[in-house]
Amino acid sequence: MPANVLLVEDEERMRQVIVMQLSDLDLHIHEAVDGEQAINIFENEMISLVITDLKLPKVNGMEVLQTIKKKDPEIPVIVITAYGSIENAVKAIQKGAFDYVTKPFKEEKLRSSVIKALKISRLTYEVRYLRQEIEDRYTFKNIVGNSPNICEVLKLAGIVSNTDTSVLITGESGTGKELLSRATHINSPRSSGPFLTVNCAAIPSTLMEPELFGYEKGAFTGAHKRTMGKFELASGGTLFLDEIGDMELDVQAKLLRILETGEYERLGGGKTIKADVRVIAATNKDLEKMVEEKRFREDLFYRINVFPIHIPPLRERKVDIPKLSNHFIQKFSNAFGRKPPELSEKAIKKLIQYPWKGNIRELKNVLERAMILCKGSQITSSHLILNESQEKSFEHMNMNTLIPRIIDEQGLSLENLEGYCIKYAMKTSDNNVSKAARLLGLSRATLRYRLEKMNE
């Protein structure tokens, strides 16, 4: 597709010369004979580059430059000026012009400047497009749901976004912890800075330190040059430490030092570097239990747990499943270039009844398969391929089957049933609060509150 170029020149002969010199380039040239016409064209066309004489009737070239830069600072402008008027060209550069050529100019000079300017314009458009894509994808609006649980999550994330406070996001795999962390970053004052991710579970402990802090040449075998770590690369932005519960204790100690002092050194170096980074951590593990078992540093836990946000599993927010399903169906329909099919009532019921051990990630995968299988206008229950063993095991492992057993074994009254149910669920799940909460059909936070009330 040819690039739209706006050529502003009041001398017809000069316009013809410029058009001829650029005729072999893939361009669509819009011609204007004065500054007023140029501004009108710019406002009504998608212009990628402006070439303008400085001396123009009605509105001069300097005003054209200023108007264009005010409307879109990233559009490159090449100014044309008479020989001997270099002072005006310098002023134009100071006001944002990309380059200047002087009359009479050589063909090579103009062509070279145009090619460079269009390359910059294309890269700028791509960066702008990609940034917009990322922002659209990772805003709070794309965290779908109206359940009280998810509304509380969004409320907390919205509050903490405007600060530099460390955030700990907890939740099972597939609940959207990285999505929430990216949305928190994009809605923060650091949004123009980088967002980098480190998966603590995927990197061996021996490589974690250089990954985070960087290293100097010769720091270890194979360190052939100085390399920046993620803390340095993420300067001015956010560093997301995913699955922080898998980080080894020795690296935890070094991470703690950075969070407390805001300083660190590269591996093998002695120079102190300031860390201008906001840290968001996430885990699907019970860090409090890990602290008790000496597998996670207590001081680091309290340092990253300044502002905790727990994302509930999908089975605790089933009211959101229809809306989430339609959201994914719309996305897949756009990708497949087809009209979005509807979910049948039986399909919706099947989705709601399923336990979703893999949470939102599993729901997304199930619906992608359904979209491929469905050739008509409606997704039926037959298009939904679910894990039958997961479905059956969950059916057998819930309080509907446990409660009769507890009453029969203990001979309880209804008055004492709640406490025994909680104790029984904790015992059945080996004191794992998350598993016990799932058995009881409660959120993890609610179960913790009830456990605390029982221990008072």
Side-chain angles (χ1 to χ4, degrees):
M1 184 177 178
N4 282 327
V5 175
L6 173 57
L7 172 60
V8 196
E9 171 60 65
D10 60 324
E11 296 181 19
E12 184 178 359
R13 176 63 183 160
M14 182 57 67
R15 289 200 310 277
Q16 291 174 349
V17 169
I18 293 172
V19 169
M20 183 183 66
Q21 290 182 348
L22 302 177
S23 60
D24 63 325
L25 299 179
D26 191 18
L27 307 176
H28 179 71
I29 299 177
H30 300 264
E31 298 181 33
V33 299
D34 58 56
E36 189 176 282
Q37 186 183 14
I39 292 170
N40 184 57
I41 292 173
F42 184 81
E43 288 176 341
N44 290 282
E45 300 290 342
M46 295 290 291
I47 301 297
S48 300
L49 168 66
V50 177
I51 304 170
T52 181
D53 195 353
L54 287 180
K55 189 176 180 181
L56 294 169
K58 296 186 179 180
V59 178
N60 66 46
M62 199 69 77
E63 289 178 272
V64 170
L65 169 65
Q66 289 177 295
T67 300
I68 287 170
K69 285 296 173 182
K70 187 175 180 181
K71 291 181 181 295
D72 191 340
E74 294 174 339
I75 294 292
V77 179
I78 298 172
V79 298
I80 302 171
T81 185
Y83 182 77
S85 302
I86 301 299
E87 186 178 341
N88 288 335
V90 171
K91 286 181 181 178
I93 295 294
Q94 290 172 341
K95 292 185 181 296
F98 174 79
D99 197 2
Y100 71 91
V101 291
T102 55
K103 297 178 183 178
F105 47 81
K106 294 181 179 180
E107 180 180 346
E108 299 78 27
K109 167 63 177 172
L110 179 62
R111 284 173 54 83
S112 174
S113 184
V114 167
I115 291 170
K116 287 178 183 177
L118 286 173
K119 186 176 181 180
I120 294 294
S121 178
R122 184 168 57 253
L123 289 172
T124 300
Y125 171 79
E126 288 174 1
V127 169
R128 184 192 297 175
Y129 173 79
L130 288 171
R131 174 173 284 277
Q132 190 60 51
E133 277 284 294
I134 291 170
E135 289 180 356
D136 289 345
R137 186 179 301 174
Y138 294 111
T139 60
F140 289 134
K141 291 179 181 178
N142 277 325
I143 301 175
V144 178
N146 295 319
S147 63
N149 286 340
I150 207 65
C151 288
E152 180 65 15
V153 167
L154 292 171
K155 176 185 174 184
L156 292 172
I159 291 170
V160 80
S161 290
N162 295 319
T163 73
D164 257 358
T165 301
S166 297
V167 179
L168 177 62
I169 304 174
T170 58
E172 296 176 8
S173 294
T175 51
K177 296 188 291 294
E178 184 173 350
L179 176 63
L180 184 67
S181 68
R182 284 183 179 273
T184 302
H185 166 73
I186 286 173
N187 286 275
S188 76
R190 291 178 174 268
S191 59
S192 60
F195 177 93
L196 298 184
T197 297
V198 175
N199 188 330
C200 302
I203 302 173
S205 59
T206 53
L207 300 179
M208 182 59 78
E209 188 175 348
E211 177 76 12
L212 289 175
F213 316 127
Y215 54 87
E216 297 289 344
K217 181 180 179 180
F220 51 84
T221 303
H224 301 302
K225 62 178 182 178
R226 173 188 287 176
T227 301
M228 292 189 293
K230 286 296 198 295
F231 268 96
E232 200 165 352
L233 293 168
S235 183
T238 301
L239 182 60
F240 177 55
L241 301 177
D242 197 12
E243 303 304 345
I244 196 170
D246 291 277
M247 183 181 286
E248 296 294 334
L249 288 167
D250 58 335
V251 184
Q252 290 179 28
K254 291 168 184 175
L255 174 61
L256 176 65
R257 178 176 175 264
I258 294 180
L259 296 177
E260 288 184 335
T261 66
E263 297 177 345
Y264 66 99
E265 295 89 33
R266 295 191 194 99
L267 194 64
K271 181 183 176 183
T272 299
I273 304 171
K274 292 283 186 183
D276 178 22
V277 176
R278 196 250 186 101
V279 172
I280 299 178
T283 183
N284 61 4
K285 296 188 174 180
D286 188 340
L287 292 188
E288 291 181 70
K289 187 176 180 181
M290 291 181 68
V291 168
E292 292 172 6
E293 297 170 350
K294 308 297 182 185
R295 293 188 294 124
F296 198 87
R297 292 183 63 105
E298 185 176 16
D299 44 9
L300 178 60
F301 171 70
Y302 288 118
R303 189 64 187 79
I304 63 174
N305 197 40
V306 178
F307 198 93
I309 301 177
H310 178 70
I311 304 180
L314 188 54
R315 61 186 162 276
E316 290 182 12
R317 42 178 292 216
K318 291 195 170 186
V319 68
D320 293 331
I321 288 176
K323 191 171 182 179
L324 274 165
S325 300
N326 287 323
H327 170 74
F328 288 131
I329 288 170
Q330 184 65 57
K331 285 187 68 174
F332 290 131
S333 297
N334 293 339
F336 297 162
R338 57 182 283 194
K339 186 178 178 181
E342 294 181 350
L343 278 166
S344 70
E345 288 186 16
K346 286 186 177 180
I348 294 172
K349 186 178 179 181
K350 189 173 181 179
L351 291 173
I352 291 173
Q353 289 177 341
Y354 187 68
W356 299 112
K357 188 176 180 180
N359 291 295
I360 296 172
R361 186 184 294 127
E362 185 182 8
L363 173 64
K364 183 180 178 182
N365 293 339
V366 165
L367 289 169
E368 184 173 7
R369 286 195 296 269
M371 283 288 296
I372 295 169
L373 294 171
C374 175
K375 303 301 181 183
S377 60
Q378 188 177 70
I379 293 175
T380 66
S381 58
S382 64
H383 296 131
L384 302 174
I385 302 174
L386 303 175
N387 187 328
E388 291 183 13
S389 60
Q390 182 190 150
E391 203 166 4
K392 288 176 182 177
S393 65
F394 191 84
E395 285 172 1
H396 290 121
M397 193 64 174
N398 60 52
M399 292 311 294
N400 289 331
T401 57
L402 289 177
I403 287 174
R405 190 189 309 171
I406 294 170
I407 295 173
D408 181 58
E409 290 176 1
Q410 302 296 330
L412 294 175
S413 65
L414 288 174
E415 186 180 354
N416 298 319
L417 181 59
E418 180 181 336
Y420 272 92
C421 283
I422 290 174
K423 290 177 182 177
Y424 197 99
M426 290 295 289
K427 181 181 178 182
T428 303
S429 60
D430 294 323
N431 289 317
N432 185 304
V433 175
S434 297
K435 288 182 180 178
R438 289 201 298 272
L439 287 172
L440 294 163
L442 301 173
S443 70
R444 190 170 178 273
T446 301
L447 179 55
R448 281 200 171 278
Y449 171 75
R450 294 188 181 182
L451 285 168
E452 288 171 4
K453 294 291 287 182
M454 284 171 60
N455 293 327
E456 287 179 355

